[in-house]
Amino acid sequence: MKKYARLLSAGLSLLLLLTSCGGGSSETPAPSQDAAPSAEASAPVEPASEEHSFTYALSSEPDYLDPAICMNSNTSAVLGQLYYPLFRYDQNGNVQNLACESYTVSDDGLTYTFKLAAGNTWSDGQPVTAADYEFGMKRSIGYGPDSAYAYLLYSNVAGGAEANENMMDVADMTDVAIHALDDSTLEITLAAPCPYFVGLLSNVVAFPLRSEFAVEHESTWANDPAVPTNGPFKLEVVRDKEEVVMVKNEYYVHADDVQTTTLTAKIITDPQAQLTAFQTGEIDLALSVPADVAVNYADDPALLNLDVVSNTFLWMNCTGETNPALADANVRRALSMAIDREQLLTFIGATSTRYPLYGYVPKGMADADGGDFRSNADAEEPYAPFDLEQAKSLMEAAGYNENNRLPITISYISSNTNTDICVCLQAMWREIYVDVELSAAEQKAYAQARKAGQYQIATGSTSADYLDPYYYLERWVSYNQGYKQVNDPTYDAMIEDANAQIDPAARMEKLHAAEKYLVADNAYTIPLLGSSQLGLMNPNISGLKFDPTNSAYFDGLSY
Amino acid sequence: MLKYIARRVFIGLLTMLFLITATFFLMRIIPGSPFINDDESVAAQKQYAQLEAKYGLDKPLTEQFGIYMKGLAHGDLGDSLIKKGKSVVDIISTTAPVTMRLGLTAFVFSMVVGIGLGITAALSKSRTLNNFVMLLSTIGVSVPNFLLALFLMLVFGVYLEIFPTIGLKTPLHYVLPTIAVSLHPVAMISRLTRTSMMEVMRQDYMVLAKSKGTAKWVVVLKHGLRNALLPVVTYAGPLIANLLTGSFVVETLFSIPGIGSEFVGSVTNRDYTLIMGLTIFMGFLVIVMNLLSDVVSAWVDPRIKLDK
């Protein structure tokens, strides 16, 4: 019996040893509750009429909640609820004034003067001033290489590039042309005209921050609930890899319109798990769900089909270094013409969630006349029409036929949808004497090979950081490519010329011409599909705001 | 005994050193980089170069290894390359306890249920019960845990709505993931226990004990089980190490913020420092648990003489 007791005690001490290291909790503690409202006598006293909570899923853990380093939609899906920026895109992609009441632009298109709306208050009761916006923007510019979106500011604002390069402190940025003229006036001067500049100020890097809380060049302060924010919600607690809990900010300028009292972002990485959590009612909104939801929930009011700006296209290695045939514009055009995009949609089973794309710029970008850039262009002429006969004759003219077929390899990131797309292309191109070999790779390996030019044709997909056709068209300018698969001085000149136009109509006209040159005349890239964002939301709750840059806002939810 | 342990610790250290070196160079052979993405704009190119420089990835590989080992000697595992601003130690200390809580629950559950089933099957004359245990253990070793996890989520979470399926907040949250990770060990343990228990029950000393008129439960527990558990103890070491390092599939499906899903994510992201940190941590666990299990076996079984 003695031996047995020893075994038991050994086992117990082992257990104790292990559990004792398992006790550490990672929570950032919430500050003593309601410390803020009692501090100020003028606090707006909101009789908590009804408690409403809303839970949404994030497909990965957000980074530190520091606007300067935010680089993915899961982090911005939290930040967007905490801060109240100058501008925001609405669901149609139009720029909407939030904290900015009005603004003026100088005649040369360089100097913007923003007038801030009254009543904008931090969650600790202090008024939000123009200097807070100035600090937030300058801090992003000087943060360092970990700030992925600082380029939106520093590449436009006069003096910004140098400040970014040298990782300057805000105090030293006197030459960066962002200045708070008084508490409610902000002036920004650009290095060159940028017709879509106010839209860029909707990005997280332009959020206001309090200089006494937001430490420069680092982010660990950001998950502390004591840091004041000025959005509809304020931070309650961050539980690493688990959830972010936010509560209504009573000091928010439009707090009366916010019905939600507790907002929780739960981290659920697996799409199937998001679906299950939605079905069990553990979450009210899932935006990363399996694709078959479109079919299974087709007639259900819970199904969301949200407009986002995103395209799927083919990278073409036009240098001919890996496949000489691809240096021939006619071969590339034939490849584009041989694709029946309607059939492609049906084949991959995405008729309700994607649409055929006949130009490189997807739907959701405003044209000069207020209409949609893509729809306007398509109404005149689709740049990538399906025309099998002409595709065949182009290939025959280039010397290909049944006996002399062209071998091509398509590289893609391994996924079900990508595989389906490539298999479909393989079948369609067989008709025009092309034999396709498929080459799937894991994401990072694919990116490295493609960036080194080790590919012939590759599938790609781009969603927009800001809503202007220039965002898409600029990518094919030679200096915007590490490996110059498209290197055409004519195209570079067309884009530069377009962007030099101050008149919006002339600028858009030139962008249309450039896109036609890119896609129809040269097939430097082959557009395939545009997509929308699928989701499931509790049908008893309405008022979700969703903008085409893939951001959701919960201030307008009603129950 | 001490000499044996000292020797094992030394071998363990050598193993760790080999593990660290091999992982460091192997992970760098995989194509891709933590900062690479499909964006090629001037800004993205510039950012890529700046990040490589900031984290020292532009230096020669051997130099980077030297820097890493130097940091390691000072107990510095570095910062995650992908999770901005978070240190590897932070990440391990927030995720490991979660996995440990689930792992220990599953360990205790597997031991109790596995041994219980094994003894019952060994002692019972009932064919049905025996067949049931054999069937369960066959299913347990052959059904992959993601299938079981999805099945449990659908049946008990979605349709019956008995158990929650997200996270590990309350004791109820532990039920489904515990079953999902325990099925395989339960099957293994019940099989091991049953076989060795049946073997032990046939031994002469058991017959002697019974013929002395000792109470049946004393015979079974004191003389039978103690000897029958030896193979289970040997299995328990690797099992606990396995449970404590977490299961990627179960953690992902049940959205458990544990270390198993972190490990797979770090490789997909090429988060070099995090890969290294987690490898070292998990390697350490495995080595220590194996050592403990050997020592405990020796302690229990007088036939094992470690010093020889």
Side-chain angles (χ1 to χ4, degrees):
Chain A
M1 203 66 191
K2 220 168 138 199
K3 275 257 167 83
Y4 197 58
R6 263 160 78 185
L7 168 66
L8 202 73
S9 68
L12 273 178
S13 52
L14 178 68
L15 267 178
L16 274 175
L17 180 86
L18 287 164
T19 38
S20 63
C21 21
S25 162
S26 62
E27 294 174 11
T28 324
S32 61
Q33 250 181 349
D34 299 330
S38 60
E40 288 266 326
S42 63
V45 183
E46 179 78 8
S49 49
E50 244 181 304
E51 299 283 314
H52 288 299
S53 61
F54 186 83
T55 307
Y56 61 107
L58 299 176
S59 61
S60 78
E61 182 189 14
D63 293 322
Y64 273 110
L65 300 171
D66 174 355
I69 58 160
C70 167
M71 57 178 294
N72 57 51
S73 58
N74 287 304
T75 312
S76 64
V78 176
L79 284 172
Q81 326 309 328
L82 297 176
Y83 290 91
Y84 191 62
L86 294 172
F87 300 94
R88 179 184 287 171
Y89 290 112
D90 67 11
Q91 22 252 75
N92 304 317
N94 299 314
V95 177
Q96 196 186 4
N97 287 26
L98 292 193
C100 170
E101 190 177 68
S102 62
Y103 68 95
T104 55
V105 189
S106 65
D107 291 341
D108 57 4
L110 291 180
T111 305
Y112 286 70
T113 312
F114 302 95
K115 200 83 196 152
L116 268 57
N120 190 358
T121 315
W122 290 104
S123 52
D124 62 353
Q126 293 221 31
V128 180
T129 65
D132 296 329
Y133 285 94
E134 178 190 342
F135 177 78
M137 291 183 205
K138 284 186 169 172
R139 180 178 172 280
S140 298
I141 289 175
Y143 187 93
D146 286 309
S147 178
Y149 288 116
Y151 86 92
L152 294 174
L153 295 173
Y154 79 69
S155 58
N156 288 303
V157 174
E162 201 202 349
N164 173 265
E165 188 74 47
N166 300 327
M167 287 178 61
M168 274 156 76
D169 291 340
V170 172
D172 304 328
M173 287 195 202
T174 41
D175 291 341
V176 178
I178 303 174
H179 299 293
L181 301 183
D182 58 52
D183 278 357
S184 63
T185 316
L186 185 70
E187 188 187 81
I188 301 180
T189 308
L190 307 186
C194 174
Y196 48 87
F197 183 68
V198 291
L200 304 186
L201 298 181
S202 69
N203 190 279
V204 286
V205 288
F207 283 6
L209 287 172
R210 288 273 286 277
S211 55
E212 66 268 44
F213 292 95
V215 183
E216 291 186 54
H217 317 293
E218 71 121 309
S219 303
T220 45
W221 54 271
N223 284 10
D224 184 351
V227 175
T229 57
N230 69 332
F233 299 93
K234 60 180 180 178
L235 200 57
E236 170 91 356
V237 62
V238 178
R239 294 187 179 93
D240 282 346
K241 283 193 84 188
E242 196 179 340
E243 62 185 5
V244 178
V245 183
M246 292 162 271
V247 291
K248 182 177 173 177
N249 172 12
E250 297 297 348
Y251 282 101
Y252 169 57
V253 58
H254 302 301
D256 292 350
D257 304 335
V258 180
Q259 294 184 19
T260 311
T261 44
T262 309
L263 182 66
T264 309
K266 268 199 192 297
I267 294 132
I268 307 177
T269 43
D270 186 64
Q272 185 62 44
Q274 283 207 8
L275 175 61
T276 309
F278 179 79
Q279 287 167 338
T280 58
E282 283 177 83
I283 57 174
D284 298 304
L285 173 70
L287 287 175
S288 171
V289 286
D292 56 16
V293 160
V295 181
N296 299 337
Y297 279 79
D299 301 317
D300 198 303
L303 184 70
L304 298 176
N305 205 341
L306 305 157
D307 292 329
V308 289
V309 177
S310 171
N311 69 1
T312 304
F313 63 95
L314 295 178
W315 295 90
M316 312 291 287
N317 195 335
C318 306
T319 58
E321 281 170 9
T322 50
N323 189 332
L326 294 176
D328 181 347
N330 284 335
V331 170
R332 297 195 303 264
R333 286 175 59 213
L335 292 171
S336 179
M337 281 177 197
I339 301 170
D340 182 348
R341 290 169 179 76
E342 301 278 356
Q343 209 194 331
L344 177 62
L345 273 186
T346 318
F347 184 81
I348 66 169
T351 39
S352 57
T353 55
R354 292 174 181 233
Y355 59 90
L357 187 60
Y358 295 104
Y360 186 68
V361 179
K363 286 182 185 170
M365 302 284 196
D367 206 339
D369 62 359
D372 185 69
F373 186 86
R374 173 83 280 117
S375 309
N376 284 354
D378 285 353
E380 267 183 31
E381 101 176 85
Y383 298 148
F386 172 53
D387 188 343
L388 192 56
E389 288 316 308
Q390 206 195 333
K392 261 187 183 167
S393 53
L394 280 171
M395 288 300 282
E396 279 159 10
Y400 297 100
N401 53 49
E402 256 334 310
N403 302 317
N404 179 26
R405 298 175 67 87
L406 170 64
I408 288 180
T409 305
I410 306 184
S411 310
Y412 60 97
I413 298 171
S414 180
S415 81
N416 289 343
T417 310
N418 280 343
T419 310
D420 286 353
I421 290 176
C422 294
V423 166
C424 193
L425 292 177
Q426 188 180 38
M428 287 171 175
W429 286 349
R430 197 171 290 143
E431 305 285 316
I432 57 163
Y433 320 120
V434 173
D435 290 324
V436 173
E437 194 185 316
L438 303 182
S439 162
E442 174 260 13
Q443 189 181 346
K444 297 268 182 185
Y446 160 92
Q448 190 174 52
R450 199 195 55 64
K451 284 193 156 181
Q454 293 156 355
Y455 78 101
Q456 298 179 12
I457 292 181
T459 62
S461 175
T462 304
S463 52
D465 293 345
Y466 59 88
L467 300 180
D468 190 278
Y470 181 73
Y471 177 80
Y472 279 92
L473 298 175
E474 187 205 15
R475 314 192 130 234
W476 299 104
V477 173
S478 57
Y479 56 76
N480 261 330
Q481 301 166 67
Y483 174 75
K484 301 187 190 323
Q485 47 255 311
V486 176
N487 194 354
D488 185 340
T490 316
Y491 184 72
D492 294 3
M494 288 173 97
I495 290 293
E496 264 171 50
D497 183 28
N499 218 35
Q501 306 295 320
I502 294 183
D503 174 41
R507 177 170 174 273
M508 285 298 171
E509 197 180 313
K510 286 185 185 287
L511 287 176
H512 275 301
E515 191 191 27
K516 184 170 184 232
Y517 180 80
L518 177 80
V519 176
D521 300 350
N522 288 294
Y524 282 135
T525 173
I526 296 180
L528 296 174
L529 305 168
S531 51
S532 59
Q533 168 75 49
L534 211 56
L536 290 170
M537 178 156 143
N538 183 345
N540 301 323
I541 303 171
S542 61
L544 174 72
K545 292 178 189 166
F546 192 84
D547 84 31
T549 60
N550 212 345
S551 310
Y553 303 100
F554 306 113
D555 49 322
L557 295 177
S558 63
Y559 296 80
Chain B
M1 180 79 120
L2 279 178
K3 220 163 107 192
Y4 171 77
I5 293 176
R7 203 175 72 220
R8 282 290 299 267
V9 168
F10 177 70
I11 294 174
L13 282 175
L14 276 187
T15 314
M16 284 301 289
L17 196 66
F18 177 75
L19 178 74
I20 293 169
T21 317
T23 311
F24 189 90
F25 289 100
L26 280 176
M27 78 181 177
R28 300 304 294 271
I29 292 174
I30 322 173
S33 130
F35 308 118
I36 205 160
N37 60 32
D38 225 15
D39 192 351
E40 282 206 76
S41 60
V42 179
Q45 291 172 40
K46 188 175 145 197
Q47 194 202 5
Y48 179 76
Q50 285 174 338
L51 283 170
E52 291 257 308
K54 178 176 171 184
Y55 293 102
L57 298 183
D58 52 351
K59 295 193 176 78
L61 201 53
T62 42
E63 193 185 332
Q64 291 182 42
F65 183 65
I67 295 172
Y68 185 81
M69 291 309 280
K70 210 168 152 188
L72 191 62
H74 294 92
D76 179 13
L77 292 176
D79 287 341
S80 161
L81 305 179
I82 300 294
K83 297 176 179 239
K84 306 273 178 226
K86 292 193 179 161
S87 77
V88 172
V89 173
D90 278 352
I91 295 174
I92 294 178
S93 60
T94 51
T95 54
V98 179
T99 300
M100 280 190 184
R101 286 200 290 274
L102 178 64
L104 286 175
T105 317
F107 179 74
V108 173
F109 180 82
S110 319
M111 284 304 225
V112 172
V113 175
I115 294 174
L117 279 178
I119 296 174
T120 324
L123 299 183
S124 160
K125 303 275 186 295
S126 155
R127 273 208 94 80
T128 338
L129 188 76
N130 252 298
N131 286 341
F132 170 75
V133 173
M134 290 312 281
L135 178 74
L136 185 80
S137 59
T138 311
I139 292 176
V141 288
S142 50
V143 173
N145 58 3
F146 73 88
L147 199 66
L148 178 69
L150 280 173
F151 173 79
L152 292 172
M153 281 169 83
L154 277 179
V155 173
F156 296 100
V158 179
Y159 297 125
L160 301 177
E161 296 183 12
I162 305 175
F163 297 113
T165 60
I166 302 293
L168 280 183
K169 264 196 171 157
T170 65
L172 269 188
H173 283 85
Y174 280 81
V175 177
L176 298 184
T178 301
I179 297 176
V181 285
S182 300
L183 188 67
H184 188 265
V186 163
M188 292 295 292
I189 294 170
S190 61
R191 220 164 228 255
L192 281 174
T193 315
R194 176 176 169 274
T195 317
S196 73
M197 194 71 187
M198 282 162 74
E199 176 76 29
V200 167
M201 290 307 277
R202 280 198 298 270
Q203 297 293 321
D204 293 346
Y205 59 81
M206 295 299 283
V207 180
L208 175 72
K210 268 187 254 178
S211 62
K212 279 199 305 186
T214 321
K216 193 180 176 197
W217 68 270
V218 179
V219 177
V220 169
L221 288 184
K222 188 179 168 189
H223 302 285
L225 189 61
R226 211 185 90 193
N227 291 300
L229 274 188
L230 282 172
V232 178
V233 173
T234 321
Y235 174 72
L239 169 67
I240 197 163
N242 186 19
L243 288 173
L244 293 183
T245 47
S247 153
F248 167 68
V249 173
V250 172
E251 288 184 4
T252 308
L253 284 175
F254 289 101
S255 304
I256 294 165
I259 205 167
S261 52
E262 199 69 65
F263 194 39
V264 176
S266 70
V267 178
T268 333
N269 288 331
R270 309 285 192 276
D271 194 341
Y272 296 140
T273 43
L274 188 55
I275 298 178
M276 289 306 295
L278 291 172
T279 307
I280 292 171
F281 177 75
M282 292 183 179
F284 178 77
L285 267 185
V286 172
I287 289 171
V288 170
M289 288 304 153
N290 279 335
L291 176 60
L292 277 180
S293 141
D294 286 355
V295 171
V296 171
S297 300
W299 208 343
V300 178
D301 187 351
R303 285 170 304 183
I304 304 177
K305 292 278 179 285
L306 292 180
D307 288 332
K308 281 183 186 158

